[in-house]
Amino acid sequence: MSEDHTHVQEFFGARAGDWDRKFPGDGPAFATAVAGFGLRPGDRVLDAGCGTGRALTALRAAVGPSGTVLGADLTPQMLAAAQRAGRAAQGTLLLADVARLPLHDAALDAVFAAGLIAHLPDPAANLRELARVVRPGGRLALFHPIGRAALAARHGRELTPDDMRAEHNLGPLLAGSGWQMTSYADEDARFLAVAVRRP
């Protein structure tokens, strides 16, 4: 997207009120992705770029009442929409830039990031920041409720070999940022890449 945070906030801020209505069928895809992510009761997990908080309920169910769920987003209107939808009850919402998270090193067991990577101004550096806040052996899920081809068609563009989310590009990007990709799925109904934080 843009390195200008004002532009990102304006883009998503203008769409926050209608976001959930625009994508009403995504809930089951979020729940399935979280269920297959390997979270355990008591885990500490961050929804990075949480938007309206569509993953928070599933994340809370996975980590249980003893776990910690955080949702961080750069756009106040998105967090306000999450609150209006009652999702703030599932976790703590933070107005924060995922490029500079207000968290200690190794504070988390996992990060779930839906639709985030395409909007990162410096993907390598930003993925390193996510690695910083996750303990060694912790996990990262890069998710989208539809696959790359369906998303490209939605935006009226063609897939190209330099697409950052292509497996041959994403694996090295993660490896250079403190992660090791352990699984990759790019299907019509979902995109899900899972990585483990290297020691």
Side-chain angles (χ1 to χ4, degrees), residues 7-196:
H7 175 73
V8 173
Q9 288 173 322
E10 287 176 353
F11 179 88
F12 286 104
R15 292 160 174 78
D18 292 326
W19 195 261
D20 287 353
R21 284 192 294 274
K22 189 174 180 183
F23 305 109
D26 287 352
F30 275 82
T32 299
V34 170
F37 185 31
L39 293 170
R40 296 168 299 190
D43 275 355
R44 302 155 299 166
V45 62
L46 169 69
D47 184 359
C50 68
T52 62
R54 292 182 294 171
L56 295 179
T57 299
L59 292 171
R60 171 55 67 197
V63 303
S66 64
T68 299
V69 177
L70 304 174
D73 204 275
L74 187 63
T75 306
Q77 295 94 323
M78 283 288 192
L79 295 177
Q83 289 180 327
R84 285 193 303 274
R87 296 173 183 142
Q90 306 301 325
T92 301
L93 299 178
L94 305 172
L95 180 62
D97 183 354
V98 298
R100 289 181 296 280
L101 288 164
L103 299 171
H104 294 297
D105 293 357
L108 303 171
D109 297 295
V111 172
F112 184 85
L116 176 71
I117 192 166
H119 301 292
L120 297 176
D122 185 344
N126 303 152
L127 288 168
R128 279 194 297 275
E129 173 66 356
L130 295 180
R132 178 188 70 79
V133 301
V134 173
R135 64 168 175 80
R139 295 169 309 288
L140 169 69
L142 300 175
F143 169 71
H144 200 283
I146 59 175
R148 293 187 310 124
L151 186 61
R154 176 185 287 174
H155 294 297
R157 59 177 174 78
E158 297 281 330
L159 277 181
T160 61
D162 62 349
D163 178 10
M164 178 173 41
R165 287 165 291 194
E167 187 172 8
H168 64 269
N169 294 326
L170 186 59
L173 174 63
L174 287 165
S177 305
W179 301 96
Q180 178 181 350
M181 190 160 67
T182 58
S183 66
Y184 180 92
D186 181 20
E187 304 156 356
D188 286 346
R190 70 166 181 161
F191 174 89
L192 181 63
V194 177
V196 172

